[in-house]
Amino acid sequence: MLLAVLPLVLTVMTIAAPSDSSDCLAAARFLRGEQQMVAVIDRDTIDDWRTQTKVVGCRITAAGATTLTMQQAAVRMYERVRAAGWTRTPDPRDAPTEASLRFRWEQSDCLFNFTPQALLGTRSEGRVNGALVLKDGESRYQVLVLCMPAMPAKPRPDRLQVRTTALAARRWPQSGG
């Protein structure tokens, strides 16, 4: 059975990346190599909170297997991301309670999102899940990575100044006359 599925797995793992998805190559290499996941790269358009524009980017849809709990598997994956040399983006604005963290590799910023089940219903998700063969005692998990060109952090106002100004405006409203 495994020998019959192996060519399919290798095909999915070696699918060429779309021409404008170079920002995803390092993340896909990490997921396939370090995490032993089946991964597919697709072009994507990403809403960039830094510029308030849509940016050409790419996404990686990946499926993996683990014998760990989902929380342990997520922690291990992010520890491996850091150990592989990825660094946190200068202004990450990620969602750690949702297991989504932003990392930078050279000139690419990528949001890694770990989930215990398939959520997207996309063709790529179906392909990677169809190619992943679970062994006894293993559970499937998903990783979605959204990558785009690295950009500098958006300047933020000093939080103390913002709070002080807001407090002053409430206490001492300007008279209108």
Side-chain angles (χ1 to χ4, degrees):
M1 172 71 181
L2 181 60
L3 291 176
V5 176
L6 189 57
L8 176 62
V9 172
L10 292 176
T11 300
V12 171
M13 290 179 64
T14 58
I15 291 173
S19 59
D20 61 350
S21 61
S22 60
D23 289 307
C24 280
L25 294 178
R29 191 170 36 253
F30 166 79
L31 293 172
R32 292 173 182 146
E34 296 294 320
Q35 291 294 113
Q36 301 297 305
M37 298 182 81
V38 179
V40 173
I41 300 173
D42 294 301
R43 291 183 298 257
D44 204 352
T45 304
I46 300 169
D47 289 325
D48 180 33
W49 54 265
R50 296 167 290 193
T51 61
Q52 304 303 311
T53 59
K54 293 188 183 284
V55 178
V56 174
C58 51
R59 76 180 123 78
I60 304 162
T61 306
T66 186
T67 57
L68 302 173
T69 67
M70 289 298 130
Q71 181 180 6
Q72 292 169 330
V75 168
R76 181 179 69 178
M77 184 190 79
Y78 287 118
E79 287 172 347
R80 287 178 173 175
V81 169
R82 288 182 180 96
W86 290 76
T87 58
R88 293 296 303 226
T89 55
D91 191 8
R93 295 192 193 183
D94 47 26
T97 57
E98 298 172 13
S100 296
L101 298 174
R102 290 185 193 277
F103 289 91
R104 178 169 287 176
W105 182 270
E106 295 175 358
Q107 296 302 311
S108 300
D109 285 350
C110 298
L111 175 69
F112 286 77
N113 185 347
F114 182 101
T115 60
Q117 69 272 347
L119 298 174
L120 304 174
T122 62
R123 187 182 297 172
S124 293
E125 194 174 64
R127 287 172 60 196
V128 297
N129 282 317
L132 181 68
V133 178
L134 295 175
K135 298 175 188 165
D136 287 339
E138 289 183 329
S139 298
R140 179 184 318 273
Y141 67 95
Q142 312 291 141
V143 174
L144 175 69
V145 183
L146 302 174
C147 297
M148 56 194 273
M151 296 182 197
K154 182 177 179 181
R156 284 189 178 182
D158 177 28
R159 288 183 185 190
L160 180 58
Q161 180 64 37
V162 170
R163 288 183 188 149
T164 303
T165 303
L167 181 60
R170 281 190 299 232
R171 286 189 178 166
W172 302 288
Q174 299 209 351
S175 59

